[in-house]
Amino acid sequence: MIPPQEASARRREIEDKLKQEEETLSFIRDSLEKSDQLTKNMVSILSSFESRLMKLENSIIPVHKQTENLQRLQENVEKTLSCLDHVISYYHVASDTERIIREGPTGRLEEYLGSMAKIQKAVEYFQDNSPDSPELNKVKLLFERGKESLESEFRSLMTRHSKVVSPVLILDLISGEDDLEVPDEVPLEHLPESVLQDVIRIARWLVEYGRNQDFMNVYYQIRSSQLDRSIKGLKEHFRKSSSSSGVPYSPAIPNKRKDTPTKKPVKRPGTIRKAQNLLKQYSQHGLDGKKGGSNLIPLEGLLPSPPRGSLPTPGQMLPVFAADVSKGHQHDFRVKHLSEALTDKHGPLAVEDDMLDVETDAYIHCVSAFVKLAQSEYQLLTDVIPEHHQKKTFDSLIQDALDGLMLEGENIVAAARKAIIRHDFSAVLTVFPILRHLKQTKPEFDQVLQGTAASTKNKLPGLITAMETVGAKALEDFADNIKNDPDKEYNMPKDGTVHELTSNAILFLQQLLDFQETAGAMLASQETSSSATSYNSEFSKRLLSTYICKVLGNLQLNLLSKSKVYEDPALSAVFLHNNYNYILKALEKSELIQLVAVTQKTAERSYREHIEQQIQTYQRSWLKVTDYLTEKNLPVFQPGVKLRDKERQVIKERFKGFNDGLEELCKIQKAWAIPDTEQRDKIRQAQKNIVKETYGAFLHRYGSVPFTKNPEKYIKYRVEQVGDMIDRLFDTSA
């Protein structure tokens, strides 16, 4: 039950809410009444406005229709007058524009084209409305004269403002490819911007209104001449620079001139200069760096020092190489001609070699220049020539410059063929850097020549094929003639040092290191097997490895044959040792070792075995000295017992035989050469140990025996003196 107080409070709360609701209801009723009154007033106003609007409309509509008719009549009159004025204006076009057409478009192209547009419209009007009127003939004649002036202006602008690209700018343009940083685009302004815009406007007018395509022939003839002259100018720049300074101008040379670009030049390929310099060094220094010891410099200084890896050499290499050699072609090509082509009796033929280098570099730069300039020409052409004529015009434009490059390339191939015939191998080497550059540039060439005729596209592949063929012929001839180089006594080194054939062969193989992919591709191009059809870099590398092994095998067989020229087996062994050691070091100190290892894994061990075998053969030459000191047939005596005459004579003969043999060998072998310091010391030390030990034992046993009244006559040398004598072997300066 709810308490009375709580119920009373609840009742009061309800009564308050009821009172508030009654007040709200009263307010709403008042608002509705006011709203109804406002609505009635608005309806009354709108009804009055509608009535007045209807009255106004009924009054205005007749006036509007009358005014509209009057305006239509006025417009018809104005149009009629305008048409009369327009027609009459055509009869005045000739007189109004004749002076402008007669004076030509030079310096006033915008005004001139405006006049031509007026004449064109007049021609169209008279053709449509009065084809027999004399005015038509008059404006037609004026139009043709104006068109001829525009054609003449086009030719004049192209002729006057088309400039040959300077060699310095071309070198700067092609040098940016090898910069480490992204170079700024080298601008090529074939025509000033204002002139270019005039040329473009004239070309578009001639296409659209002149119905004339002759200007395209004018365009390609002028631009073709400039392109050809630019490339020829670059070539002439190389020739002049080399004749004046001996070194062609290159943007990398800081000579502080205004026009000297700051970018690096295109990397110059390895060419004959490297071979000539090496052969020059060979002739001046010994393998140990001293003059007179040999005709070769130390391999440590000559060759790069890459990480050493497993390498093929001759031990087990010889049988494999010999099998390959039997497949070679027979050509009368002497390796000595490489040296003869590079050096003569009076010194290196530096001038001829530099000229070869200049011609090679010039051609390579001209090829790169053609690509860049042709790309630039195509960009210019797209602004001037209509799209459907661009490819054909571009094809015609580049023909002279491209034909010039191809002709020069064909001349290089022809010269290389003649060089092979006359055994001048130095000229053949120029093919390698050029071919490598052509193949590297071919993707850009193909891109530039897109859309040209098939005959144009096939020119570069044809030249590449010809160079690969002649290069492969040179490689095969070189390998075959390494094998067939004759054994001539006068051509053999008297001191048993490294043969010229060996140095030339290794030098040639080192040159191939700069052109591994190129040489491999040359060899692959001559393969007719199924494996060659799926040519890849690995296949090419194996072919080159096989070729190098073939050359080394041919060289080894020839050296064996040449060694028989020596009557002294010991000198023959020294000769083979020097040559094998030189070959091994050359392989180890260059990437040749990795190439040989592709097909011959045991070559290094094989060469070391051959070297050790020749050392042992050489050491046998000392047996005729040490045999006098052996126990064989020596008298047996007891201390204190007097020797018989026969026994004393035997001891005397042994001492004398040893002394004479030692002196003879030291005298002879002192003039022999082992250029490699390490090998020379090793052979001396080994021989010294053997002889000193044997002689020391003999001297200890018989040195105090009273076998003669003059012991100093027979005991001429102490053990240390014998060692000193052996230490002076292979040293003409000792």
Side-chain angles (χ1 to χ4, degrees):
M1 184 172 179
I2 302 174
Q5 293 178 352
E6 191 174 323
S8 176
R10 179 70 174 164
R11 186 171 54 252
R12 284 194 300 270
E13 182 181 349
I14 293 173
E15 290 175 352
D16 291 341
K17 286 186 178 181
L18 181 60
K19 185 178 181 180
Q20 290 176 359
E21 293 294 335
E22 289 175 350
E23 292 175 353
T24 302
L25 181 60
S26 176
F27 175 76
I28 292 174
R29 285 181 183 148
D30 294 341
S31 297
L32 287 174
E33 290 176 359
K34 291 179 181 179
S35 178
D36 289 340
Q37 184 64 35
L38 290 173
T39 301
K40 290 178 182 179
N41 294 337
M42 181 59 70
V43 169
S44 175
I45 293 171
L46 290 176
S47 297
S48 175
F49 180 76
E50 182 179 7
S51 174
R52 293 179 181 181
L53 187 61
M54 289 180 63
K55 291 179 181 180
L56 180 63
E57 183 179 354
N58 292 333
S59 301
I60 292 299
I61 286 177
V63 176
H64 173 72
K65 288 182 178 179
Q66 186 178 4
T67 303
E68 190 177 36
N69 291 334
L70 291 174
Q71 287 177 342
R72 188 178 299 112
L73 290 174
Q74 183 180 3
E75 288 176 0
N76 290 338
V77 171
E78 289 176 351
K79 287 181 179 179
T80 302
L81 292 174
S82 176
C83 288
L84 289 174
D85 290 340
H86 182 67
V87 170
I88 293 172
S89 68
Y90 288 130
Y91 287 85
H92 297 288
V93 165
S95 59
D96 292 343
T97 59
E98 185 175 7
R99 181 182 61 82
I100 298 175
I101 300 303
R102 183 175 64 252
E103 292 176 356
T106 303
R108 49 196 282 179
L109 182 62
E110 189 70 28
E111 182 183 5
Y112 193 89
L113 291 178
S115 298
M116 289 298 295
K118 292 179 182 179
I119 297 171
Q120 173 71 14
K121 290 178 181 178
V123 170
E124 293 172 355
Y125 172 80
F126 289 121
Q127 284 178 336
D128 294 338
N129 299 282
S130 183
D132 297 328
S133 66
E135 284 78 8
L136 175 61
N137 294 331
K138 190 173 183 179
V139 292
K140 269 189 174 181
L141 183 62
L142 196 59
F143 181 82
E144 291 299 323
R145 186 189 303 171
K147 186 172 70 171
E148 291 174 1
S149 296
L150 284 173
E151 293 171 356
S152 177
E153 178 70 3
F154 182 90
R155 179 187 294 273
S156 175
L157 289 174
M158 291 296 302
T159 302
R160 286 187 289 113
H161 296 283
S162 290
K163 304 297 182 183
V164 174
V165 183
S166 70
V168 172
L169 185 56
I170 295 176
L171 288 171
D172 221 11
L173 179 69
I174 62 181
S175 69
E177 299 173 353
D178 293 328
D179 284 349
L180 295 178
E181 299 179 358
V182 178
D184 296 332
E185 187 68 24
V186 179
L188 269 186
E189 189 179 67
H190 296 292
L191 295 170
E193 184 61 27
S194 59
V195 174
L196 176 60
Q197 294 306 317
D198 287 350
V199 167
I200 292 173
R201 293 200 63 186
I202 294 174
R204 289 177 180 174
W205 190 93
L206 289 173
V207 171
E208 186 174 356
Y209 302 108
R211 306 292 190 269
N212 189 344
Q213 298 181 1
D214 291 343
F215 78 94
M216 300 181 194
N217 296 331
V218 172
Y219 178 88
Y220 92 71
Q221 289 169 0
I222 294 174
R223 294 308 307 166
S224 175
S225 174
Q226 299 303 324
L227 174 62
D228 191 39
R229 290 171 60 193
S230 296
I231 294 176
K232 288 179 179 177
L234 177 63
K235 184 176 180 181
E236 189 63 24
H237 173 76
F238 271 83
R239 290 176 176 171
K240 288 182 178 178
S241 298
S242 69
S243 63
S244 61
S245 63
V247 179
Y249 166 71
S250 170
I253 300 176
N255 48 14
K256 306 299 182 184
R257 295 178 357 196
K258 282 184 184 178
D259 56 351
T260 301
T262 57
K263 295 183 177 64
K264 297 177 182 178
V266 174
K267 293 179 181 177
R268 299 183 63 199
T271 52
I272 304 301
R273 185 175 293 127
K274 179 178 177 182
Q276 183 252 320
N277 289 340
L278 290 178
L279 284 181
K280 182 179 179 182
Q281 290 174 326
Y282 288 162
S283 65
Q284 292 178 346
H285 301 279
L287 197 60
D288 57 358
K290 298 178 180 179
K291 291 186 178 181
S294 171
N295 63 340
L296 297 170
I297 66 171
L299 283 168
E300 290 80 2
L302 169 63
L303 300 172
S305 301
R308 294 182 57 179
S310 60
L311 165 71
T313 20
Q316 299 177 354
M317 188 184 334
L318 180 57
V320 179
F321 288 170
D324 290 338
V325 167
S326 63
K327 301 176 184 178
H329 305 292
Q330 300 297 321
H331 298 287
D332 186 18
F333 179 71
R334 302 291 178 254
V335 178
K336 67 186 180 66
H337 287 284
L338 173 61
S339 177
E340 291 172 357
L342 300 175
T343 59
D344 61 10
K345 295 179 181 179
H346 306 291
L349 297 177
V351 174
E352 292 182 13
D353 184 62
D354 284 345
M355 287 307 297
L356 280 176
D357 242 359
V358 170
E359 293 296 328
T360 301
D361 281 356
Y363 186 73
I364 287 174
H365 281 75
C366 287
V367 170
S368 296
F370 172 81
V371 173
K372 292 297 182 183
L373 293 177
Q375 290 173 342
S376 180
E377 287 290 346
Y378 188 76
Q379 293 173 357
L380 178 65
L381 177 142
T382 56
D383 292 330
V384 180
I385 305 300
E387 184 176 358
H388 54 287
H389 292 287
Q390 289 173 2
K391 296 296 184 181
K392 182 179 179 181
T393 304
F394 180 70
D395 195 346
S396 301
L397 189 154
I398 62 174
Q399 282 304 314
D400 287 348
L402 182 59
D403 287 344
L405 285 177
M406 294 302 106
L407 178 60
E408 191 169 350
E410 291 166 3
N411 290 339
I412 291 172
V413 172
R417 290 196 183 104
K418 293 178 181 178
I420 293 174
I421 294 174
R422 67 175 184 269
H423 309 143
D424 179 9
F425 187 72
S426 61
V428 181
L429 290 178
T430 60
V431 171
F432 285 77
I434 292 174
L435 177 58
R436 178 176 66 181
H437 186 72
L438 289 179
K439 297 186 77 172
Q440 290 173 344
T441 314
K442 187 176 182 297
E444 289 186 88
F445 246 99
D446 294 341
Q447 185 178 7
V448 169
L449 300 182
Q450 278 183 345
T452 58
S455 58
T456 302
K457 294 178 181 177
N458 293 334
K459 287 180 179 180
L460 181 64
L463 179 60
I464 289 176
T465 299
M467 286 193 172
E468 284 184 335
T469 301
V470 75
K473 178 70 163 56
L475 291 175
E476 288 302 319
D477 279 7
F478 185 86
D480 292 338
N481 287 279
I482 286 289
K483 175 185 176 183
N484 299 325
D485 187 74
D487 300 327
K488 297 180 179 179
E489 292 186 18
Y490 67 83
N491 199 34
M492 295 293 290
K494 295 181 180 180
D495 57 0
T497 189
V498 179
H499 196 278
E500 181 185 44
L501 177 66
T502 302
S503 63
N504 286 347
I506 293 300
L507 175 61
F508 172 66
L509 295 181
Q510 289 170 352
Q511 294 293 301
L512 292 186
L513 289 177
D514 292 333
F515 310 102
Q516 294 183 35
E517 292 186 7
T518 304
M522 285 178 176
L523 296 170
S525 68
Q526 305 305 305
E527 289 291 318
T528 56
S529 63
S530 58
S531 59
T533 59
S534 58
Y535 165 74
N536 54 47
S537 58
E538 186 61 30
F539 175 71
S540 172
K541 192 173 184 179
R542 291 190 65 82
L543 282 179
L544 183 57
S545 175
T546 301
Y547 173 77
I548 292 174
C549 293
K550 177 180 179 180
V551 172
L552 293 175
N554 290 355
L555 176 61
Q556 189 171 336
L557 291 175
N558 201 314
L559 290 173
L560 285 171
S561 175
K562 289 182 184 301
S563 67
K564 297 176 182 178
V565 172
Y566 296 110
E567 296 180 359
D568 191 333
L571 181 55
S572 176
V574 168
F575 170 76
L576 290 176
H577 164 274
N578 285 332
N579 283 271
Y580 291 156
N581 182 63
Y582 178 80
I583 294 170
L584 177 59
K585 281 206 167 186
L587 295 175
E588 290 178 332
K589 292 291 183 179
S590 69
E591 295 178 15
L592 286 173
I593 191 167
Q594 286 85 3
L595 273 177
V596 176
V598 172
T599 53
Q600 294 293 332
K601 304 295 184 183
T602 61
E604 184 176 2
R605 184 179 74 245
S606 179
Y607 268 119
R608 295 194 187 283
E609 290 173 356
H610 282 306
I611 291 170
E612 188 59 35
Q613 180 183 355
Q614 299 309 318
I615 292 176
Q616 294 174 4
T617 302
Y618 162 75
Q619 288 176 341
R620 284 196 288 271
S621 68
W622 283 84
L623 290 178
K624 63 183 180 181
V625 176
T626 56
D627 276 351
Y628 286 105
L629 309 179
T630 59
E631 298 289 337
K632 184 179 179 181
N633 297 326
L634 279 175
V636 179
F637 64 92
Q638 297 295 328
V641 179
K642 186 177 181 181
L643 295 175
R644 290 176 294 178
D645 291 343
K646 184 178 180 181
E647 293 173 338
R648 288 197 296 270
Q649 186 61 33
V650 169
I651 296 174
K652 290 179 182 179
E653 290 176 356
R654 294 298 181 94
F655 270 108
K656 186 177 186 304
F658 171 78
N659 293 335
D660 293 344
L662 175 66
E663 292 168 355
E664 180 184 1
L665 279 185
C666 287
K667 180 180 179 181
I668 294 173
Q669 295 184 7
K670 178 182 177 182
W672 296 354
I674 298 181
D676 188 297
T677 305
E678 181 181 348
Q679 287 290 315
R680 183 167 66 237
D681 293 343
K682 174 184 174 182
I683 293 173
R684 284 173 175 172
Q685 187 61 41
Q687 199 58 53
K688 184 168 64 173
N689 292 341
I690 295 172
V691 176
K692 283 178 65 177
E693 181 181 352
T694 306
Y695 181 64
F698 185 83
L699 190 60
H700 177 73
R701 182 169 184 180
Y702 296 102
S704 58
V705 174
F707 64 89
T708 178
K709 295 180 180 180
N710 300 308
E712 66 278 358
K713 178 180 178 181
Y714 297 97
I715 307 177
K716 297 174 63 176
Y717 304 104
R718 300 189 307 275
V719 174
E720 291 73 15
Q721 288 178 307
V722 172
D724 292 341
M725 293 173 69
I726 296 175
D727 278 336
R728 290 193 291 272
L729 297 179
F730 317 117
D731 188 356
T732 57
S733 63

